[in-house]
Amino acid sequence: MAHVSDLIASDIEQYLKSHEHKSLLRFITCGSVDDGKSTLIGRLLYESKMLFEDQLAAIEADSKKWGTQGGEIDFALLVDGLAAEREQGITIDVAYRFFSTDRRKFIVADTPGHEQYTRNMVTGASTADVAVILIDARRGVLTQSRRHSYLVSLIGIRHVVLAINKMDLMNYSQEVYDKIVAEYSEFAAQIGLKDVTPIPMSALKGDNIVDPSESMPWYSGPTLMSYLESVEIDEARMQKGAFRLPVQWVNRPNLDFRGFAGTIASGVVRTGDRVKVLPSGKESTVARIVTFSGDLEEAIAGQSVTLTLADEIDISRGDVLAKVSELPQVDSAFEATVVWMHDTALQPGRPYLLKTSARTATATIDRIEYQVNVNTLERTQPEVLELNGIAVCSMTLDRSIAFDPYEDNKETGGFILIDRLSNTTVGAGLLLKGLQGEQKIGNDGPLDQKARAAHLGQKPVILWVSGGDADQRLSIGSALEKKLLSVGMHTYLLAPSVLANAMGPCGDYAQTLNQQAGVAALMADAGLVVIVVAADGAAIEHAALVASLQGQGVLLSLDGAEAGAIAVDVNAASEDETIMALLQSLQTTGAI
């Protein structure tokens, strides 16, 4: 590998020492398809001399096979690793690359440009300090450029480079550059991007990448590399913020030591500081700051430490330590921006697990306030939120948590949503504000089903098991209840024998069915998931009763496919497979 510093050849120890103390900048490249994002990253790696000789040989060979530069080195191939990307000439997954200069270390994420990969782009941007938005000088500001700029603004990236690329194809025209800068500046002001630095460049030719371009003497601003080496990184800003330590682990190796371990999300803590534990509100004083290398008098954002306190107070994983003079907010109802990342749409009323910092809670999306069209910035109010959709939602948790608005602190203001059955991450979000008393569900009038369901953290539903014989229905109903209970749902199995014991025997099966429907409706009103093991009856009678439940009933048939029913496969290899397939169907239809 070509060396990046003369110290490597003359004093390797000194080089490693200087390398260890360099700051780290994370940035992303984004923009429209074929704007040259991957080529730009490849050029940065090449110019910073972070390529091994065999890598150079491989890229030269690949350029002849896959390249788009007529046999010349195609720098995009250094980044576009997936075969599908090479064949289509686009970026699909987020590709991360590391390089360094004498002044700073860098991790760059090459994010995809297509709209269908919005979730990938948001993932890549979530940890970035700087966004490099590429504009093809031939095409100007496009819809995708605006969409990515909006997402960059949404994620809270404070520094933006407007990289006007392919200037070589426009004869390095200042007029073209000025026109694009004027158009983009107007749009950036609309979405709240304040720190935008435009740089004209050619990633392919290397103009204004590392050295100033001789072809554009009219430009006197920084080159891309000099900008990246000098811009303030978010870590430095967070060290100036309010102290936050989300507790990840209660460290208790013996009876004489009890500390609270975690990575400081923001601010500075010193021994003797008065701190408060949230959400409990208990106070104490920092006695020691313990690390593997010994005790410290002071620790800053980004450091992993264990704090011991002067008092024995109850603290557990997920609590947040903060100074008493600069407390975060505590609430259980929020307005938040949600980016949906799963093929199965977000369903209001359905419970999910919310994970923020080290805290996990059950969250229910109460309603979608509005969805933002990322191409036009228009607002709509859909019933559900589909894959790659972005919406502002109101949500309720089953407990209070400490948080900061995302724009103030990414660590304590960001979260992910997890499907409770599959344990899959289905969405990511940004906490905007807590909803005070009168805005919380159920606090503005008598309690109703919605308030009760929100308290239980689930969507009430009546699962009506019909068909087969009585033993099969009871067996499926019991197994379904156990599975739903195991993932934290509040359920009740309503079998005919239960009704007979509580209310006495009924005259006939029709009366039993009517009683089951009535009792199940009351239980659903209480917010429960009710599994009705239906009495015998014709399929048309079961369908009519479920239809009378005002949209809260789901008919499950053990007799195979029936109109309006979910078929339960009782011939599966095992009962577990039957239940898992049934749960998948219920999720797909949005029933649970």
Side-chain angles (χ1 to χ4, degrees):
M1 183 178 69
H3 62 76
V4 295
S5 168
D6 292 338
L7 283 176
I8 292 180
S10 59
D11 189 345
I12 187 63
E13 292 291 339
Q14 185 61 34
Y15 168 75
L16 292 175
K17 188 175 181 180
S18 65
H19 193 73
E20 182 181 355
H21 291 92
K22 289 177 187 174
S23 59
L24 172 65
L25 176 76
R26 293 180 172 87
F27 69 99
I28 62 168
T29 59
C30 51
S32 183
V33 174
D34 203 29
D35 277 347
K37 299 184 294 297
S38 300
T39 300
L40 176 62
I41 295 176
R43 169 64 72 174
L44 287 171
L45 295 174
Y46 180 79
E47 295 287 355
S48 61
K49 298 181 175 58
M50 292 298 289
L51 298 176
F52 290 97
E53 292 179 359
D54 59 339
Q55 283 181 308
L56 270 176
I59 201 66
E60 287 173 356
D62 284 352
S63 296
K64 294 176 182 176
K65 183 177 181 181
W66 304 99
T68 59
Q69 303 302 325
E72 298 294 324
I73 294 180
D74 187 348
F75 293 109
L77 297 181
L78 284 168
V79 182
D80 290 345
L82 297 178
E85 292 174 353
R86 292 190 177 188
E87 291 168 1
Q88 299 178 51
I90 61 173
T91 302
I92 294 176
D93 203 353
V94 180
Y96 294 92
R97 290 293 184 275
F98 170 85
F99 66 95
S100 69
T101 65
D102 286 339
R103 298 178 61 183
R104 184 170 271 179
K105 296 179 285 190
F106 303 90
I107 294 177
V108 54
D110 182 23
T111 57
H114 281 267
E115 184 174 0
Q116 68 193 90
Y117 303 120
T118 296
R119 57 179 172 178
N120 306 51
M121 189 264 173
V122 171
T123 302
S126 61
T127 58
D129 301 301
V130 175
V132 178
I133 297 177
L134 279 92
I135 304 287
D136 188 331
R138 299 169 302 170
R139 299 186 289 177
V141 181
L142 301 178
T143 299
Q144 287 186 338
S145 313
R146 297 174 187 272
R147 174 161 52 85
H148 279 177
S149 298
Y150 171 73
L151 293 174
V152 165
S153 169
L154 180 73
I155 297 299
I157 298 177
R158 297 172 183 272
H159 308 291
V160 172
V161 175
L162 182 67
I164 303 174
N165 193 25
K166 304 188 180 182
M167 289 294 292
D168 54 311
L169 300 181
M170 298 302 290
N171 297 320
Y172 300 104
S173 168
Q174 183 178 4
E175 184 181 353
V176 171
Y177 168 79
D178 289 341
K179 182 180 177 182
I180 293 173
V181 171
E183 182 182 1
Y184 186 85
S185 298
E186 183 179 348
F187 174 71
Q190 292 178 19
I191 59 175
L193 286 178
K194 299 175 182 176
D195 185 357
V196 179
T197 303
I199 301 176
M201 64 180 63
S202 168
L204 184 65
K205 303 294 183 183
D207 292 296
N208 282 335
I209 303 298
V210 175
D211 299 315
S213 170
E214 296 179 357
S215 302
M216 291 178 277
W218 45 265
Y219 174 73
S220 58
T223 64
L224 178 61
M225 187 65 86
S226 64
Y227 176 87
L228 295 175
E229 286 183 327
S230 59
V231 66
E232 183 187 39
I233 59 177
D234 209 41
E235 186 177 270
R237 185 181 68 84
M238 293 311 297
Q239 290 174 3
K240 303 173 186 173
F243 169 66
R244 302 284 185 264
L245 176 68
V247 176
Q248 296 171 314
W249 178 47
V250 178
N251 186 358
R252 193 174 177 80
N254 55 59
L255 294 176
D256 299 323
F257 185 92
R258 186 165 180 260
F260 309 100
T263 301
I264 299 176
S266 61
V268 180
V269 64
R270 299 176 180 87
T271 54
D273 282 348
R274 193 71 179 167
V275 294
K276 181 172 279 191
V277 184
L278 297 164
S280 70
K282 296 173 182 173
E283 292 186 20
S284 185
T285 302
V286 177
R288 294 174 58 194
I289 303 174
V290 182
T291 71
F292 179 77
S293 304
D295 285 12
L296 303 175
E297 286 298 315
E298 173 184 291
I300 61 175
Q303 283 187 290
S304 297
V305 297
T306 295
L307 300 187
T308 65
L309 303 180
D311 306 287
E312 283 289 336
I313 57 178
D314 183 25
I315 301 176
S316 58
R317 174 181 165 83
D319 289 343
V320 175
L321 295 177
K323 291 182 182 176
V324 294
S325 57
E326 43 190 28
L327 297 176
Q329 300 177 45
V330 176
D331 212 327
S332 61
F334 305 92
E335 184 173 272
T337 299
V338 174
V339 181
W340 197 245
M341 299 179 168
H342 199 265
D343 293 329
T344 303
L346 178 152
Q347 302 272 355
R350 180 177 165 185
Y352 301 93
L353 293 179
L354 179 145
K355 184 173 176 57
T356 176
S357 300
R359 171 73 74 189
T360 302
T362 297
T364 302
I365 306 296
D366 299 317
R367 54 182 166 265
I368 299 174
E369 303 293 349
Y370 60 85
Q371 181 176 353
V372 179
N373 184 323
V374 293
N375 293 323
T376 63
L377 302 186
E378 291 178 340
R379 296 181 178 184
T380 58
Q381 193 165 26
E383 294 293 325
V384 299
L385 189 62
E386 303 285 353
L387 174 65
N388 289 319
I390 298 175
V392 172
C393 306
S394 57
M395 63 170 62
T396 306
L397 306 189
D398 64 346
R399 69 197 69 182
S400 296
I401 63 170
F403 78 101
D404 293 287
Y406 182 83
E407 64 176 354
D408 295 336
N409 194 319
K410 290 183 179 180
E411 293 296 327
T412 55
F415 64 87
I416 60 172
L417 292 173
I418 302 168
D419 184 274
R420 298 204 305 180
L421 294 177
S422 64
N423 209 31
T424 303
T425 300
V426 293
L430 328 170
L431 295 174
L432 303 178
K433 62 180 180 181
L435 297 176
Q436 298 305 312
E438 67 278 8
Q439 293 173 279
K440 292 181 180 179
I441 296 296
N443 282 2
D444 52 355
L447 288 178
D448 56 11
Q449 185 194 51
K450 195 171 185 178
R452 299 183 191 103
H455 181 71
L456 296 177
Q458 63 184 26
K459 178 182 178 181
V461 64
I462 300 168
L463 304 175
W464 191 276
V465 184
S466 66
D469 59 39
D471 290 340
Q472 284 179 313
R473 294 195 295 274
L474 183 60
S475 177
I476 293 295
S478 298
L480 181 58
E481 185 189 28
K482 289 178 182 174
K483 184 61 181 177
L484 293 176
L485 275 174
S486 72
V487 295
M489 289 190 173
H490 302 268
T491 66
Y492 191 85
L493 183 69
L494 187 60
S497 59
V498 175
L499 272 182
N501 290 335
M503 305 174 71
C506 298
D508 56 30
Y509 78 90
Q511 189 176 356
T512 302
L513 287 175
N514 282 323
Q515 283 186 347
Q516 284 188 300
V519 174
L522 288 174
M523 290 182 169
D525 194 51
L528 295 175
V529 174
V530 189
I531 303 163
V532 177
V533 179
D536 290 327
I540 191 171
E541 293 173 302
H542 291 294
L545 278 171
V546 171
S548 71
L549 295 173
Q550 300 180 337
Q552 296 194 97
V554 178
L555 184 60
L556 311 179
S557 173
L558 275 59
D559 291 335
E562 292 181 10
I566 293 177
V568 180
D569 181 12
V570 294
N571 297 317
S574 67
E575 192 171 72
D576 283 346
E577 290 187 9
T578 299
I579 298 302
M580 290 308 296
L582 176 56
L583 289 176
Q584 183 64 43
S585 299
L586 291 171
Q587 276 194 303
T588 302
T589 58
I592 62 173

